[in-house]
Amino acid sequence: MGKNSKIPEADPVAEGVVIRIRALAPSLSPAERRVASLVLEDPEGASARTITELARAAGTSETTVIRFCKVLGLPGYPELRLRLAAESARESARDGDRGRVVGSDIGPDDSMAQIVEKVAFADARAVEETARQLDVEVVETVSEVLAAARRTELFGVGASAFVALDFQQKLHRIGRLAFAWVDTHAALASAALLGPGDVAVGISHTGMTGDTIEVLAQARDRGATTVALTNFPRSPIADVADYVLTTAARETTFRSGATASRIAQLTVVDCLFVAVARRHYDKTMGALEVTFDAISGRRVAASRGRR
């Protein structure tokens, strides 16, 4: 990662060790990833295993398990077991058996009611877990940078493009100079014109979207401050970001998690927007009033068309 990158050193106790494991999983070694998969598959069951049992089940060594704990920010395996047991107890107390059922993957035989419940559960949990692990100090710093920016450029492709466009609309509504680019050529051309005092925000759930990484790198080379919004703090996009903001959405069958990831990203965007807006409170309120008046005449009267 870049030497100036501000990637939050997460506290696995505060954010939840399961959330931490999920976020770091793609950056782990193959052996460590096998340990992570076992823990994520059954956190409560993993908490009941000795280090020897977990290592054997993962087809690896006890040394690898200890190294896995260190990556999470824990001193050793006993602490991991305690965290997993405590989190499992909290989850059980809050959601009971229902949480285990609706939090599971969508199956081919699920009813429509079960699909709705599972999707809603995944979306709600994405918002809750994102808020829990979000580094408030980094959010505060990024909001300061955005509030002082000469202009803000927002980049995202695919589904992340919708989040970039949403953020652009919000900032523009309060009088901030912001542009969202979803075409890579246009984005690269725009990034090449940035400089000190400008901010570039790259949005990528995986953190491995080549186009977004390239655009953010271009902006950083030109002297702009760069911000990455991703689900995985050690993904390649972090290498070209001065600040990294993370979400906590889990992928599930049929990519219902893709919807959850967008909602998690929008949660972070909303936090940034409100933080920027409150820094220019009087100007924000004036801009909101003016823009509301400008579009209010386009709304159809409630009684129109009724008989």
Side-chain angles (χ1 to χ4, degrees):
M1 79 188 63
K3 64 181 180 179
N4 296 321
S5 294
K6 308 297 191 303
I7 300 179
E9 293 298 328
D11 178 357
V13 178
E15 71 169 336
V17 71
V18 172
I19 297 174
R20 181 74 171 159
I21 293 170
R22 196 183 307 128
L24 296 179
S27 64
L28 299 175
S29 69
E32 291 168 346
R33 203 174 302 140
R34 291 197 299 274
V35 176
S37 295
L38 279 176
V39 173
L40 291 174
E41 184 179 330
D42 184 9
E44 185 176 6
S47 70
R49 284 176 162 169
T50 66
I51 188 172
T52 303
E53 291 170 339
L54 185 62
R56 186 182 297 119
T60 189
S61 66
E62 294 180 14
T63 301
T64 298
V65 176
I66 294 173
R67 189 166 59 244
F68 169 73
C69 295
K70 298 291 186 182
V71 171
L72 298 178
L74 296 171
Y77 187 64
E79 288 76 16
L80 176 61
R81 292 183 68 184
L82 286 172
R83 303 300 176 209
L84 291 173
E87 286 185 28
S88 297
R90 285 197 299 269
E91 293 287 325
S92 180
R94 185 178 71 171
D95 300 317
D97 292 336
R98 175 184 173 277
R100 283 190 288 272
V101 173
V102 300
S104 61
D105 278 354
I106 296 172
D109 298 322
D110 282 349
S111 66
M112 191 66 245
Q114 289 173 316
I115 291 172
V116 170
E117 190 172 20
K118 287 184 177 182
V119 170
F121 182 88
D123 289 353
R125 185 57 60 86
V127 172
E128 292 173 3
E129 294 183 346
T130 291
R132 189 189 311 166
Q133 60 80 52
L134 200 57
D135 190 305
V136 176
E137 291 186 4
V138 177
V139 176
E140 183 73 36
T141 301
V142 172
S143 71
E144 291 175 0
V145 171
L146 289 170
R150 182 181 65 173
R151 62 186 279 161
T152 299
E153 302 271 334
L154 305 155
F155 308 109
V157 299
S160 292
F162 295 107
V163 180
L165 289 166
D166 179 81
F167 200 9
Q168 186 271 334
Q169 188 271 339
K170 284 182 167 69
L171 291 173
H172 190 69
R173 185 79 185 270
I174 61 172
R176 307 302 301 167
L177 187 60
F179 302 89
W181 304 100
V182 297
D183 176 85
T184 303
H185 288 190
L188 284 168
S190 185
L193 298 174
L194 296 179
D198 298 324
V199 178
V201 181
I203 303 171
S204 171
H205 174 72
T206 63
M208 296 188 292
T209 306
D211 289 347
T212 305
I213 294 171
E214 184 179 0
V215 172
L216 214 58
Q218 171 83 282
R220 194 181 198 191
D221 288 343
R222 296 294 177 175
T225 299
T226 53
V227 179
L229 176 56
T230 180
N231 207 71
F232 304 101
R234 292 191 178 185
S235 56
I237 199 172
D239 294 339
V240 294
D242 296 312
Y243 300 96
V244 179
L245 295 169
T246 53
T247 55
R250 59 185 91 183
E251 296 288 343
T252 57
T253 310
F254 305 124
R255 285 187 58 82
S256 64
T259 300
S261 66
R262 299 294 83 77
I263 291 175
Q265 289 172 345
L266 288 169
T267 298
V268 178
V269 163
D270 279 350
C271 290
L272 288 173
F273 166 70
V274 172
V276 171
R278 64 106 191 255
R279 291 179 180 278
H280 302 279
Y281 187 83
D282 292 337
K283 184 178 178 181
T284 293
M285 297 309 294
L288 288 174
E289 183 177 347
V290 169
T291 53
F292 176 82
D293 290 341
I295 63 175
S296 60
R298 310 302 299 173
R299 293 177 177 165
V300 178
S303 59
R304 183 174 176 178
R306 292 184 180 178
R307 294 174 179 264

Coordinates of all heavy atoms in Angstrom, one line a residue, residues 33-91:
R33 N -6.4 -19.0 4.9 CA -7.8 -18.8 4.4 C -8.6 -20.1 4.7 O -9.8 -20.0 4.9 CB -7.7 -18.6 2.8 CG -9.0 -17.9 2.3 CD -8.8 -17.6 0.8 NE -7.6 -16.8 0.6 CZ -6.7 -16.9 -0.4 NH1 -6.9 -17.9 -1.3 NH2 -5.7 -16.1 -0.5
R34 N -8.0 -21.2 4.7 CA -8.7 -22.4 5.1 C -9.2 -22.4 6.6 O -10.3 -22.8 6.9 CB -7.9 -23.7 4.9 CG -7.6 -24.0 3.4 CD -7.1 -25.4 3.3 NE -5.9 -25.7 4.0 CZ -4.6 -25.5 3.5 NH1 -4.5 -25.0 2.3 NH2 -3.6 -25.8 4.2
V35 N -8.3 -21.8 7.4 CA -8.7 -21.6 8.8 C -9.8 -20.6 8.9 O -10.8 -20.8 9.6 CB -7.5 -21.1 9.6 CG1 -7.9 -20.8 11.1 CG2 -6.3 -22.1 9.6
A36 N -9.7 -19.5 8.1 CA -10.8 -18.5 8.1 C -12.1 -19.1 7.7 O -13.2 -18.8 8.2 CB -10.4 -17.3 7.2
S37 N -12.1 -19.9 6.6 CA -13.3 -20.5 6.1 C -14.0 -21.4 7.2 O -15.2 -21.4 7.3 CB -13.0 -21.4 4.9 OG -12.6 -20.6 3.8
L38 N -13.2 -22.2 7.9 CA -13.8 -23.0 9.0 C -14.4 -22.1 10.1 O -15.5 -22.4 10.6 CB -12.7 -23.9 9.6 CG -12.3 -25.2 8.9 CD1 -11.2 -25.8 9.5 CD2 -13.5 -26.1 8.8
V39 N -13.8 -21.1 10.4 CA -14.3 -20.2 11.5 C -15.6 -19.5 11.0 O -16.5 -19.4 11.8 CB -13.2 -19.2 11.9 CG1 -13.8 -18.1 12.9 CG2 -12.0 -19.8 12.5
L40 N -15.5 -19.0 9.8 CA -16.7 -18.3 9.3 C -17.9 -19.2 9.1 O -19.0 -18.8 9.3 CB -16.4 -17.6 8.0 CG -15.4 -16.4 8.0 CD1 -15.0 -15.9 6.6 CD2 -16.0 -15.3 8.9
E41 N -17.6 -20.4 8.7 CA -18.7 -21.4 8.5 C -19.4 -21.7 9.8 O -20.6 -21.9 9.8 CB -18.1 -22.7 7.9 CG -19.1 -23.8 7.6 CD -18.5 -25.0 7.0 OE1 -17.4 -24.9 6.3 OE2 -19.0 -26.1 7.2
D42 N -18.7 -21.8 10.9 CA -19.3 -22.1 12.2 C -18.5 -21.5 13.3 O -17.7 -22.1 14.0 CB -19.4 -23.6 12.4 CG -20.1 -24.0 13.7 OD1 -20.7 -23.2 14.3 OD2 -20.1 -25.2 14.0
P43 N -18.7 -20.2 13.6 CA -17.9 -19.5 14.6 C -18.1 -20.1 16.0 O -17.1 -20.3 16.8 CB -18.5 -18.1 14.6 CG -19.1 -17.9 13.3 CD -19.6 -19.2 12.9
E44 N -19.3 -20.5 16.3 CA -19.5 -21.2 17.6 C -18.8 -22.5 17.8 O -18.2 -22.8 18.8 CB -21.0 -21.4 17.9 CG -21.4 -21.9 19.3 CD -22.9 -22.0 19.5 OE1 -23.7 -21.7 18.5 OE2 -23.3 -22.2 20.6
G45 N -18.9 -23.3 16.7 CA -18.2 -24.6 16.7 C -16.7 -24.4 16.8 O -16.0 -25.1 17.5
A46 N -16.2 -23.4 16.1 CA -14.7 -23.1 16.1 C -14.3 -22.7 17.5 O -13.2 -23.1 17.9 CB -14.4 -22.0 15.1
S47 N -15.1 -22.0 18.2 CA -14.7 -21.6 19.6 C -14.6 -22.7 20.5 O -13.9 -22.6 21.6 CB -15.8 -20.6 20.1 OG -17.0 -21.2 20.4
A48 N -15.2 -23.9 20.2 CA -15.2 -25.0 21.1 C -14.0 -26.0 20.8 O -13.7 -26.9 21.5 CB -16.5 -25.8 21.0
R49 N -13.3 -25.7 19.7 CA -12.2 -26.5 19.3 C -10.8 -26.1 19.9 O -10.6 -24.9 20.1 CB -12.0 -26.5 17.7 CG -13.1 -27.3 17.0 CD -12.9 -27.1 15.5 NE -13.6 -28.2 14.8 CZ -13.8 -28.2 13.5 NH1 -13.3 -27.2 12.7 NH2 -14.4 -29.2 12.9
T50 N -10.0 -27.0 20.2 CA -8.6 -26.7 20.6 C -7.9 -26.3 19.3 O -8.3 -26.5 18.2 CB -7.9 -27.9 21.2 OG1 -7.8 -28.9 20.2 CG2 -8.7 -28.5 22.4
I51 N -6.7 -25.6 19.5 CA -5.9 -25.2 18.4 C -5.5 -26.4 17.5 O -5.4 -26.3 16.3 CB -4.7 -24.4 18.9 CG1 -4.0 -23.8 17.7 CG2 -3.7 -25.3 19.7 CD1 -2.9 -22.8 18.1
T52 N -5.2 -27.5 18.2 CA -4.8 -28.7 17.4 C -6.0 -29.2 16.6 O -5.8 -29.6 15.4 CB -4.4 -29.8 18.4 OG1 -3.3 -29.4 19.2 CG2 -3.9 -31.1 17.6
E53 N -7.2 -29.2 17.1 CA -8.4 -29.7 16.4 C -8.7 -28.7 15.2 O -9.0 -29.2 14.1 CB -9.6 -29.7 17.3 CG -9.5 -30.8 18.4 CD -10.6 -30.7 19.4 OE1 -11.1 -29.6 19.6 OE2 -10.8 -31.7 20.1
L54 N -8.5 -27.4 15.4 CA -8.8 -26.5 14.3 C -7.8 -26.6 13.2 O -8.1 -26.6 12.0 CB -8.8 -25.1 14.9 CG -9.2 -24.0 13.8 CD1 -10.7 -24.2 13.3 CD2 -9.1 -22.6 14.4
A55 N -6.5 -26.7 13.6 CA -5.4 -26.9 12.6 C -5.6 -28.1 11.8 O -5.5 -28.1 10.6 CB -4.1 -26.9 13.3
R56 N -6.0 -29.2 12.5 CA -6.1 -30.5 11.8 C -7.3 -30.4 10.8 O -7.2 -30.9 9.7 CB -6.4 -31.6 12.8 CG -6.4 -33.0 12.1 CD -6.7 -34.1 13.2 NE -5.6 -34.2 14.1 CZ -5.8 -34.0 15.4 NH1 -6.9 -33.7 15.9 NH2 -4.7 -34.1 16.2
A57 N -8.4 -29.8 11.2 CA -9.6 -29.7 10.4 C -9.3 -28.8 9.2 O -9.9 -29.0 8.1 CB -10.8 -29.1 11.2
A58 N -8.4 -27.8 9.3 CA -8.1 -26.9 8.2 C -6.9 -27.5 7.4 O -6.6 -26.9 6.4 CB -7.7 -25.6 8.7
G59 N -6.4 -28.6 7.8 CA -5.3 -29.2 7.0 C -4.0 -28.4 7.1 O -3.3 -28.3 6.1
T60 N -3.8 -27.8 8.3 CA -2.6 -27.0 8.4 C -2.0 -27.2 9.8 O -2.3 -28.1 10.5 CB -3.0 -25.5 8.1 OG1 -1.8 -24.7 8.1 CG2 -3.9 -25.0 9.2
S61 N -1.1 -26.3 10.1 CA -0.3 -26.4 11.4 C -0.8 -25.5 12.5 O -1.5 -24.5 12.2 CB 1.2 -26.2 11.2 OG 1.4 -24.8 10.8
E62 N -0.5 -25.7 13.7 CA -0.8 -24.9 14.8 C -0.2 -23.5 14.6 O -0.7 -22.5 15.0 CB -0.4 -25.5 16.1 CG -1.2 -26.8 16.5 CD -0.8 -27.4 17.8 OE1 -0.1 -26.7 18.6 OE2 -1.2 -28.5 18.1
T63 N 1.0 -23.5 14.1 CA 1.8 -22.2 13.8 C 1.0 -21.3 12.9 O 0.9 -20.1 13.1 CB 3.1 -22.5 13.2 OG1 3.9 -23.4 14.1 CG2 3.9 -21.2 12.9
T64 N 0.3 -21.9 11.9 CA -0.5 -21.2 10.9 C -1.7 -20.6 11.6 O -2.1 -19.4 11.4 CB -1.0 -22.1 9.8 OG1 0.2 -22.5 9.0 CG2 -1.9 -21.3 8.8
V65 N -2.3 -21.3 12.5 CA -3.5 -20.8 13.3 C -3.0 -19.6 14.1 O -3.7 -18.6 14.2 CB -4.1 -21.9 14.2 CG1 -5.2 -21.3 15.0 CG2 -4.6 -23.1 13.3
I66 N -1.9 -19.7 14.8 CA -1.4 -18.6 15.6 C -1.1 -17.4 14.7 O -1.4 -16.3 15.1 CB -0.1 -19.1 16.4 CG1 -0.4 -20.1 17.4 CG2 0.5 -17.8 17.1 CD1 0.8 -20.8 18.1
R67 N -0.5 -17.6 13.6 CA -0.2 -16.5 12.6 C -1.5 -15.9 12.2 O -1.6 -14.7 12.0 CB 0.6 -17.1 11.4 CG 1.1 -16.0 10.5 CD 2.1 -16.5 9.6 NE 1.6 -17.5 8.7 CZ 2.1 -18.8 8.7 NH1 3.0 -19.1 9.6 NH2 1.6 -19.7 7.9
F68 N -2.5 -16.7 12.0 CA -3.9 -16.2 11.6 C -4.4 -15.3 12.7 O -5.0 -14.2 12.4 CB -4.8 -17.4 11.4 CG -6.2 -17.1 11.3 CD1 -6.7 -16.5 10.1 CD2 -7.1 -17.4 12.3 CE1 -8.1 -16.2 10.0 CE2 -8.5 -17.1 12.2 CZ -9.0 -16.5 11.0
C69 N -4.2 -15.7 13.9 CA -4.7 -14.8 15.1 C -3.9 -13.5 15.1 O -4.5 -12.4 15.3 CB -4.5 -15.6 16.4 SG -5.5 -17.1 16.6
K70 N -2.6 -13.5 14.8 CA -1.8 -12.3 14.8 C -2.3 -11.3 13.7 O -2.3 -10.1 13.9 CB -0.4 -12.7 14.6 CG 0.3 -13.5 15.6 CD 0.4 -12.8 17.0 CE 1.2 -13.7 18.0 NZ 1.3 -13.0 19.3
V71 N -2.7 -11.9 12.6 CA -3.2 -11.1 11.5 C -4.4 -10.3 11.9 O -4.7 -9.2 11.5 CB -3.4 -11.9 10.2 CG1 -4.2 -11.1 9.1 CG2 -2.1 -12.5 9.6
L72 N -5.2 -11.0 12.7 CA -6.5 -10.4 13.2 C -6.3 -9.3 14.3 O -7.2 -8.6 14.6 CB -7.4 -11.5 13.7 CG -7.9 -12.6 12.8 CD1 -8.8 -13.6 13.5 CD2 -8.6 -12.0 11.6
G73 N -5.0 -9.3 14.8 CA -4.7 -8.3 15.8 C -4.9 -8.9 17.2 O -5.0 -8.2 18.2
L74 N -5.0 -10.2 17.3 CA -5.1 -10.9 18.6 C -3.8 -11.5 19.0 O -3.0 -12.0 18.2 CB -6.2 -12.0 18.5 CG -7.6 -11.5 18.1 CD1 -8.5 -12.7 17.8 CD2 -8.2 -10.7 19.3
P75 N -3.5 -11.6 20.3 CA -2.2 -12.1 20.8 C -2.1 -13.6 20.6 O -1.0 -14.1 20.5 CB -2.2 -11.7 22.2 CG -3.6 -11.5 22.6 CD -4.3 -11.0 21.4
G76 N -3.2 -14.3 20.5 CA -3.1 -15.8 20.4 C -4.4 -16.5 20.2 O -5.5 -15.8 20.2
Y77 N -4.4 -17.8 20.2 CA -5.6 -18.5 19.9 C -6.6 -18.5 21.1 O -7.8 -18.4 20.8 CB -5.2 -20.0 19.6 CG -6.4 -20.8 19.2 CD1 -7.1 -20.5 18.0 CD2 -6.9 -21.9 20.0 CE1 -8.2 -21.3 17.7 CE2 -8.0 -22.7 19.6 CZ -8.6 -22.3 18.5 OH -9.8 -23.1 18.1
P78 N -6.2 -18.5 22.3 CA -7.2 -18.4 23.4 C -8.1 -17.2 23.3 O -9.3 -17.2 23.5 CB -6.3 -18.3 24.7 CG -5.1 -19.0 24.3 CD -4.8 -18.7 22.9
E79 N -7.5 -16.0 22.9 CA -8.3 -14.8 22.7 C -9.3 -15.0 21.6 O -10.4 -14.5 21.6 CB -7.3 -13.6 22.4 CG -6.5 -13.2 23.7 CD -5.4 -14.1 24.0 OE1 -5.0 -14.9 23.1 OE2 -4.9 -14.0 25.1
L80 N -8.9 -15.6 20.5 CA -9.8 -15.9 19.4 C -11.0 -16.7 19.8 O -12.1 -16.4 19.5 CB -9.0 -16.6 18.2 CG -9.9 -17.0 17.0 CD1 -10.5 -15.7 16.4 CD2 -9.1 -17.8 16.0
R81 N -10.7 -17.8 20.6 CA -11.8 -18.6 21.1 C -12.8 -17.8 21.9 O -14.0 -17.9 21.8 CB -11.2 -19.8 21.9 CG -10.5 -20.8 21.0 CD -10.0 -22.0 21.9 NE -11.1 -22.8 22.4 CZ -11.0 -23.8 23.2 NH1 -9.8 -24.2 23.6 NH2 -12.0 -24.5 23.5
L82 N -12.2 -17.0 22.8 CA -13.1 -16.1 23.7 C -13.9 -15.2 22.9 O -15.1 -15.0 23.1 CB -12.2 -15.4 24.7 CG -11.6 -16.2 25.8 CD1 -10.6 -15.3 26.6 CD2 -12.7 -16.7 26.7
R83 N -13.3 -14.5 21.9 CA -14.1 -13.6 21.0 C -15.2 -14.3 20.3 O -16.3 -13.8 20.2 CB -13.1 -12.9 20.1 CG -12.0 -12.1 20.7 CD -12.4 -11.0 21.6 NE -11.3 -10.4 22.3 CZ -11.3 -9.9 23.5 NH1 -12.4 -9.9 24.2 NH2 -10.2 -9.4 24.0
L84 N -14.9 -15.4 19.7 CA -15.9 -16.2 18.9 C -17.0 -16.6 19.8 O -18.2 -16.5 19.4 CB -15.2 -17.4 18.2 CG -14.2 -17.1 17.1 CD1 -13.5 -18.3 16.6 CD2 -15.0 -16.4 15.9
A85 N -16.7 -17.1 21.0 CA -17.7 -17.6 21.9 C -18.6 -16.4 22.4 O -19.8 -16.6 22.4 CB -17.1 -18.3 23.1
A86 N -18.0 -15.3 22.7 CA -18.8 -14.1 23.1 C -19.7 -13.6 22.0 O -20.9 -13.3 22.2 CB -17.8 -13.0 23.6
E87 N -19.2 -13.5 20.8 CA -20.0 -13.1 19.7 C -21.1 -14.0 19.3 O -22.2 -13.6 19.0 CB -19.1 -12.8 18.4 CG -18.2 -11.6 18.5 CD -17.4 -11.3 17.2 OE1 -17.9 -11.7 16.2 OE2 -16.3 -10.7 17.3
S88 N -20.8 -15.3 19.4 CA -21.9 -16.3 19.1 C -23.0 -16.2 20.2 O -24.1 -16.3 19.8 CB -21.2 -17.7 19.1 OG -20.3 -17.9 18.1
A89 N -22.6 -16.0 21.4 CA -23.6 -15.8 22.5 C -24.4 -14.6 22.3 O -25.7 -14.6 22.4 CB -22.9 -15.8 23.8
R90 N -23.8 -13.5 21.8 CA -24.6 -12.3 21.6 C -25.5 -12.5 20.4 O -26.7 -12.0 20.4 CB -23.6 -11.1 21.3 CG -22.9 -10.5 22.5 CD -22.4 -9.2 22.3 NE -21.3 -9.2 21.2 CZ -20.0 -9.4 21.4 NH1 -19.6 -9.6 22.7 NH2 -19.2 -9.4 20.4
E91 N -25.0 -13.1 19.3 CA -25.9 -13.4 18.2 C -27.1 -14.2 18.5 O -28.2 -14.0 18.1 CB -25.1 -14.0 17.1 CG -24.0 -13.2 16.5 CD -24.5 -12.1 15.6 OE1 -25.5 -12.4 14.9 OE2 -24.0 -11.0 15.6

